[in-house]
Amino acid sequence: MDKLEWAVDTVDGTTFEKIAGEVLRNEGYDVHESGVIGTDGGWDARIEINGRKGIGHASVDNNWRGKLRDDAESVEELEEEQSESFDLLVFVTNQRVTGQQELDMEAEIEEEYGWDLKILHRRHIIGITGHERPDLAERHFGFNPKRNDDHLDQIIDLRDERLDLISNREGVASDLEEGPTAVVHLIPNGVFSGNYVQQSDDLPGLPRMGKLNVHPGTETVGKGKLNAGGRMGQPYKSYTYLQKDGLYEAVDTWVFREDEQDGLLLNNARDTDKSLDCKAGIAVQAGIRALKEMGVTGTVFCFISLLDAKGATIAYETRISGPAVQQPLRTDRYTTDLAEIPLAEADVTDSLRNPLTEIWQELGWNVNLHYDEDGNWMGPTVRFGDIGQFPSGG
């Protein structure tokens, strides 16, 4: 599967509704959108082509046939309510549709309602955004499929540049306390397509690391906004940072501590909101909220890194049975494989399960104490007053 196929398969409903309208216009339809119906990408519009009138619907629902049938019933009700008669129904989906399935549905809709049905499905969306209109992919997915540059390599290079700055205590990390550090990066797919806001002052306020509520200490710094703990001019132990291009960075030194007997310890206790897993999850949830407020859509790449932490092992509750021998971290810099997170995803714990568990496994564990055997989050639920909670739960 290439990058464009993956983008089409994982697109969120809000982004897909925008793509659907432009795809229909590309196919020659006059489109008059009426709005969003649901978070599954459910959307409708009045359409017209060659003097024939109808309704267009779009959805990312996996059960595309069931959704199409529901939409057809809604269009029939609209005909009755407004004493109108439509000639065609167009359904736009990112799902795979075979030729026989398409023929069967066309026959079913014509027999039931008398309309001509046109289905624009996964193959059409990939063809249009990949060949006819690569500008649509660039606008909504953040990359141009006709360019030869390797988008993912650029993302990784950007991440590594940021990690170098943090390790060297340069840029916004210049006043960060020395020592081992945990870093969370969220990098939008469209980070290289242009700034999402014109001025840094237009960026949303930020919470502190491990919090959801926006903190008044947010300040404009160069091309972004920074929220750092501690007094001005004094070393701080954590910060959050958001750039105009959508890069989000959350940095924390609190999760590490030195123990006379056990050496460098990484706090990943199961029942505390001060653990790496919990703080990283909250940081991702807060970062996604800020990115959505900026107008970022689609997906973000997430990386979790441990810097200057060679020799670290996990600190956990004594009542819990851990491995007979932990494997101390073997490198000064460890970064997880990327995780792709849809911005429309409410609960981020599912997308974070693999990278968080990867760190546990690197340190000699077979399991992550914050997830049960079915992959469900079993760490603490952290509430932040009227702001919400982590995990969000929807």
Side-chain angles (χ1 to χ4, degrees):
M1 179 183 296
D2 66 20
K3 183 167 56 179
L4 179 59
E5 291 173 330
W6 178 86
V8 171
D9 289 345
T10 60
V11 64
D12 62 90
T14 301
T15 302
F16 191 68
E17 73 172 45
K18 299 174 183 177
I19 295 172
E22 297 195 68
V23 165
L24 288 173
R25 291 185 181 94
N26 186 74
E27 296 298 288
Y29 293 90
D30 292 327
V31 181
H32 306 283
E33 300 175 26
S34 60
V36 182
I37 294 177
T39 57
D40 67 341
W43 162 96
D44 68 351
R46 290 178 177 269
I47 57 175
E48 184 174 351
I49 188 169
N50 298 327
R52 307 181 72 214
K53 297 182 179 180
I55 297 291
H57 275 268
S59 176
V60 295
D61 195 316
N62 291 333
N63 181 14
W64 66 268
R65 279 175 288 197
K67 187 67 171 66
L68 196 162
R69 291 182 178 115
D70 290 344
D71 289 344
E73 291 181 8
S74 298
V75 173
E76 183 182 44
E77 293 173 1
L78 182 64
E79 279 187 323
E80 295 173 355
E81 290 172 2
Q82 301 194 9
S83 300
E84 292 187 78
S85 180
F86 298 121
D87 304 305
L88 65 155
L89 173 65
V90 180
F91 186 75
V92 188
T93 176
N94 69 333
Q95 303 299 306
R96 298 174 186 268
V97 180
T98 68
Q100 189 59 52
Q101 289 172 336
E102 194 168 356
L103 291 172
D104 290 345
M105 287 304 301
E106 288 173 356
E108 178 180 327
I109 294 299
E110 183 178 18
E111 180 179 354
E112 184 73 18
Y113 303 102
W115 309 320
D116 288 338
L117 172 67
K118 174 67 175 178
I119 302 177
L120 296 172
H121 49 82
R122 182 181 185 272
R123 177 170 53 81
H124 298 107
I125 304 301
I126 291 173
I128 292 170
T129 57
H131 301 286
E132 300 174 33
R133 294 289 306 279
D135 60 299
L136 297 185
E138 185 161 24
R139 187 178 311 123
H140 298 295
F141 298 141
F143 63 90
N144 187 322
K146 287 195 171 182
R147 290 180 181 164
N148 293 323
D149 57 347
D150 191 324
H151 185 66
L152 186 54
D153 281 350
Q154 286 184 301
I155 293 286
I156 291 173
D157 287 344
L158 174 59
R159 176 206 67 194
D160 289 344
E161 289 172 9
R162 296 300 311 170
L163 292 177
D164 287 341
L165 290 171
I166 297 167
S167 287
N168 297 329
R169 297 304 191 260
E170 298 175 355
V172 297
S174 59
D175 290 326
L176 181 68
E177 184 176 85
E178 295 291 339
T181 308
V183 183
V184 175
H185 278 121
L186 296 179
I187 305 178
N189 212 349
V191 69
F192 302 114
S193 62
N195 293 331
Y196 289 98
V197 299
Q198 294 298 315
Q199 300 180 0
S200 297
D201 287 340
D202 297 330
L203 291 166
L206 301 175
R208 289 188 171 177
M209 176 65 175
K211 304 291 183 182
L212 289 181
N213 45 303
V214 173
H215 190 272
T218 303
E219 58 180 331
T220 300
V221 178
K223 296 182 179 180
K225 278 193 174 179
L226 173 72
N227 194 309
R231 296 179 179 178
M232 187 67 67
Q234 298 295 318
Y236 41 80
K237 296 178 73 69
S238 65
Y239 70 80
T240 55
Y241 176 61
L242 177 64
Q243 291 189 162
K244 293 193 299 180
D245 59 10
L247 179 138
Y248 181 82
E249 185 173 275
V251 178
D252 187 81
T253 63
W254 289 100
V255 293
F256 291 99
R257 64 180 175 86
E258 284 282 355
D259 183 86
E260 291 185 3
Q261 179 177 348
D262 297 323
L264 183 61
L265 295 176
L266 170 63
N267 182 358
N268 231 343
R270 187 180 65 186
D271 299 327
T272 174
D273 61 359
K274 307 303 182 186
S275 68
L276 171 67
D277 287 3
C278 202
K279 279 193 166 185
I282 294 170
V284 169
Q285 187 171 315
I288 285 177
R289 185 181 64 186
L291 292 173
K292 291 169 71 174
E293 190 173 338
M294 287 175 63
V296 181
T297 60
T299 60
V300 292
F301 297 105
C302 176
F303 302 92
I304 302 172
S305 304
L306 305 179
L307 304 180
D308 303 313
K310 186 176 181 179
T313 57
I314 289 178
Y316 58 98
E317 291 90 344
T318 56
R319 69 179 185 277
I320 294 174
S321 177
V325 178
Q326 291 202 59
Q327 169 64 55
L329 190 64
R330 292 169 287 187
T331 179
D332 277 333
R333 176 182 295 188
Y334 184 84
T335 299
T336 62
D337 292 336
L338 68 84
E340 302 99 343
I341 304 179
L343 285 171
E345 183 174 87
D347 183 356
V348 300
T349 56
D350 184 56
S351 291
L352 289 176
R353 182 175 66 250
N354 285 345
L356 292 176
T357 300
E358 180 185 333
I359 292 175
W360 286 81
Q361 292 172 339
E362 182 67 18
L363 296 180
W365 291 68
N366 293 324
V367 297
N368 180 333
L369 295 180
H370 290 109
Y371 290 88
D372 64 21
E373 61 183 12
D374 295 320
N376 300 309
W377 177 261
M378 57 184 292
T381 297
V382 188
R383 294 178 172 81
F384 296 91
D386 295 336
I387 300 298
Q389 68 179 41
F390 168 81
S392 72

